[in-house]
Amino acid sequence: MENNEQKKVVLSLIQPTGTPTLGNYLGAFKNWKSMAQEYDCLFGAADLHSITVRTAPADLRKRTIDLFAILLAMGLDPEKNIIFCQSHVSAHAQLGWILDCYTQFGEASRMTQFKDKSAKHADNVNLGLFTYPTLMAADILLYNADYVPIGADQKQHLELTRDIANRFNGLYGDFFKVPEPFIGKAGARVMSLQEPEKKMSKSDTNQKSFILVTEDPNVIVKKIKSAVTDSEAAVYYSENKPGVSNLMDIYSACTGKSYEAITDEFAGKGYGDFKAAVAEAVVEELRPLQEEYHRLVKDKAYLEECAKLGAEKASRIADRTVRKCMKKVGFWQY
Ligand code: ATP
Ligand code: MG
C-alpha cells in the first residue's frame, strides 16, 4: 500500500526559452520520469523565469504550450503528479519578492549563470536576470520540496536556495524545508555540439550546437555528424577530447554502455562510424516522446484542461505557504 503522507516531494521546472534540448532531456527529464514513480512530484514550465530574456509574446505562448505538451508526452501523469505552468500560480512571484529581501546583493552577484547570461545579452541586463535565483528559491520552497532534480549547471542556484532557507529559518524558527539537489549520473551535463567546452543550451543562437527533443531524425543525424571533435580519430574519454567525450556521454546515457565498452566498440574505426551510432541511439531514445508529442500538441482543449488541473493543485499548496510565510514576517492579516 502506498502511503502518500510519507512520500518525499520533488520539484523541477524548465524554462520555455526554446524547445527542450537533448541536454534538458538527459540532464533533467530522464530523472523526472523515474522520480515520478516514487515521489510526489511537481514539474512545470518556468515561464516567469523565461522573460529575463526578451521574447515575442506569441513565441512565449507557443513555447509554453509546446513545453507543456512535451512534459505530458514524456509520460508524466497530470492526475498522479502536479504538472503546471509557473505564471498560473501567483504565489511564485509573491514569495520571490519576499526572498529578495532575505538575499544579499553580494550572494546574487556570485552566480555564474548571471555572469554568463548578462555577457550573452549585454543589451538587456535586467533585474530579473539578477534575481532569477531568488525566484527559483521561491519555486522550490513554496512546495517544501525535499529533492530538486537539476543538471550540474543549476547546482549553485540550489546552494543559494538552501542558504536563503536556512537564513529565514534562523530568523523565524524552522519554516522552510531545506532542499537537496538530485543530480543524475549519466548526462548530468551535456555540452554544446559546436563548442564542447560550453553546456548545451536551448537558448543558444547557434542551431547546430544543440539537438531539440522534437527534432526531425534526419536533422539529428546531420547535427551529430557535424559535431566538433578532434583530429586524432580515436574514441576514448579524456579531458583533452571534449567533443568526443561529450558524444560518449550522450551515447552512454542513451544506451547504458560504459566508456570502456564504447572504446572497445569503436576500436580501429573512425569518427564516422561512431557518430552514426550516437545519432541512431539518440533518434531511438527520443522516438516515443516525439510520437506522443505530435499527437498531444494538436489537442489544445486537453492541454488547457491539464494546465487548469495543475494550477489548482499547485496553488492549493503554494498559497498556504505564502500566507504562513507572510505571517512569520509580520504582515497584517485578517
Ligand atoms: P536556457 O539556455 O534558456 O537557460 P537551458 O537549456 O539551460 O535553457 P533550463 O530551462 O535553464 O534549460 O534548465 C532546465 C533543466 O535542464 C535544469 O534542471 C538544468 O539543470 C537542465 N539542463 C540544462 N542544460 C543542461 C545540459 N546541457 N546538460 C544537462 N542538464 C541540463
Ligand atoms: Mg539554463
Side-chain angles (χ1 to χ4, degrees):
M1 278 289 282
E2 281 183 354
N3 182 350
N4 279 328
E5 279 173 7
Q6 300 284 306
K7 276 194 185 175
K8 298 275 191 199
V9 175
V10 167
L11 174 132
S12 199
L13 304 180
I14 173 163
Q15 302 185 73
T17 35
T19 307
T21 66
L22 186 65
N24 302 131
Y25 177 87
L26 296 176
F29 292 174
K30 266 195 119 172
N31 290 325
W32 294 10
K33 247 185 101 175
S34 55
M35 294 184 109
Q37 311 301 322
E38 208 179 323
Y39 303 107
D40 269 340
C41 293
L42 296 110
F43 297 120
D47 54 347
L48 294 176
H49 281 281
S50 70
I51 66 165
T52 52
V53 174
R54 194 72 64 234
T55 314
D59 287 347
L60 175 60
R61 202 154 24 244
K62 181 174 183 306
R63 285 174 185 171
T64 309
I65 297 169
D66 264 9
L67 178 58
F68 204 83
I70 288 170
L71 298 184
L72 296 177
M74 276 180 7
L76 298 172
D77 182 347
E79 299 285 341
K80 218 172 132 220
N81 294 120
I82 302 179
I83 318 292
F84 73 112
C85 176
Q86 187 189 27
S87 69
H88 296 170
V89 181
S90 52
H92 289 255
Q94 285 176 287
L95 186 62
W97 167 252
I98 295 174
L99 298 183
D100 278 350
C101 303
Y102 293 84
T103 308
Q104 298 305 301
F105 188 87
E107 293 182 290
S109 309
R110 284 194 288 276
M111 298 296 113
T112 55
Q113 177 177 286
F114 173 70
K115 291 181 201 164
D116 291 350
K117 290 208 170 174
S118 45
K120 219 155 118 192
H121 306 280
D123 55 335
N124 182 23
V125 185
N126 59 74
L127 290 184
L129 207 54
F130 189 67
T131 61
Y132 183 109
T134 48
L135 181 59
M136 176 166 160
D139 300 337
I140 297 163
L141 300 178
L142 277 173
Y143 302 97
N144 288 314
D146 294 277
Y147 301 121
V148 185
I150 44 168
D153 63 308
Q154 290 296 327
K155 214 172 153 234
Q156 197 186 25
H157 286 166
L158 198 72
E159 272 307 312
L160 182 62
T161 301
R162 290 168 55 87
D163 290 345
I164 296 170
N166 280 320
R167 181 172 308 142
F168 194 93
N169 290 349
L171 287 166
Y172 301 106
D174 270 358
F175 179 67
F176 288 124
K177 169 79 63 68
V178 181
E180 302 281 341
F182 182 94
I183 302 178
K185 280 185 283 318
R189 198 170 172 88
V190 178
M191 308 310 278
S192 156
L193 297 179
Q194 292 301 315
E195 296 166 85
E197 43 295 306
K198 271 177 41 185
K199 85 169 191 80
M200 184 182 283
S201 268
K202 60 181 136 56
S203 62
D204 201 313
T205 45
N206 184 353
Q207 300 278 321
K208 286 168 87 180
S209 72
F210 52 66
I211 289 169
L212 305 176
V213 295
T214 54
E215 203 124 65
D216 186 271
N218 295 320
V219 180
I220 296 180
V221 171
K222 261 195 214 139
K223 284 187 175 179
I224 292 182
K225 266 193 189 152
S226 62
V228 168
T229 48
D230 50 62
S231 54
E232 195 192 351
V235 177
Y236 64 94
Y237 205 89
S238 161
E239 246 176 53
N240 303 324
K241 293 165 74 74
V244 169
S245 300
N246 186 37
L247 292 176
M248 285 179 78
D249 269 332
I250 293 172
Y251 191 55
S252 168
C254 293
T255 59
K257 291 178 185 171
S258 67
Y259 296 149
E260 298 81 60
I262 299 170
T263 298
D264 288 349
E265 187 177 346
F266 297 100
K269 294 183 188 162
Y271 287 158
D273 287 345
F274 173 51
K275 285 178 167 178
V278 176
E280 195 191 318
V282 171
V283 168
E284 282 315 309
E285 177 74 29
L286 295 177
R287 190 188 301 281
L289 188 161
Q290 293 199 348
E291 285 172 3
E292 190 60 5
Y293 163 77
H294 290 304
R295 192 180 71 78
L296 281 173
V297 80
K298 292 185 210 117
D299 195 347
K300 288 274 147 60
Y302 175 70
L303 295 176
E304 279 174 18
E305 195 185 300
C306 292
K308 189 160 173 271
L309 175 68
E312 281 167 5
K313 291 202 287 187
S315 294
R316 218 170 293 144
I317 306 168
D319 289 348
R320 194 160 163 261
T321 307
V322 164
R323 205 174 155 75
K324 281 165 67 181
C325 172
M326 290 179 83
K327 189 170 177 198
K328 290 263 178 206
V329 173
F331 287 104
W332 182 24
Q333 293 181 330
Y334 52 84

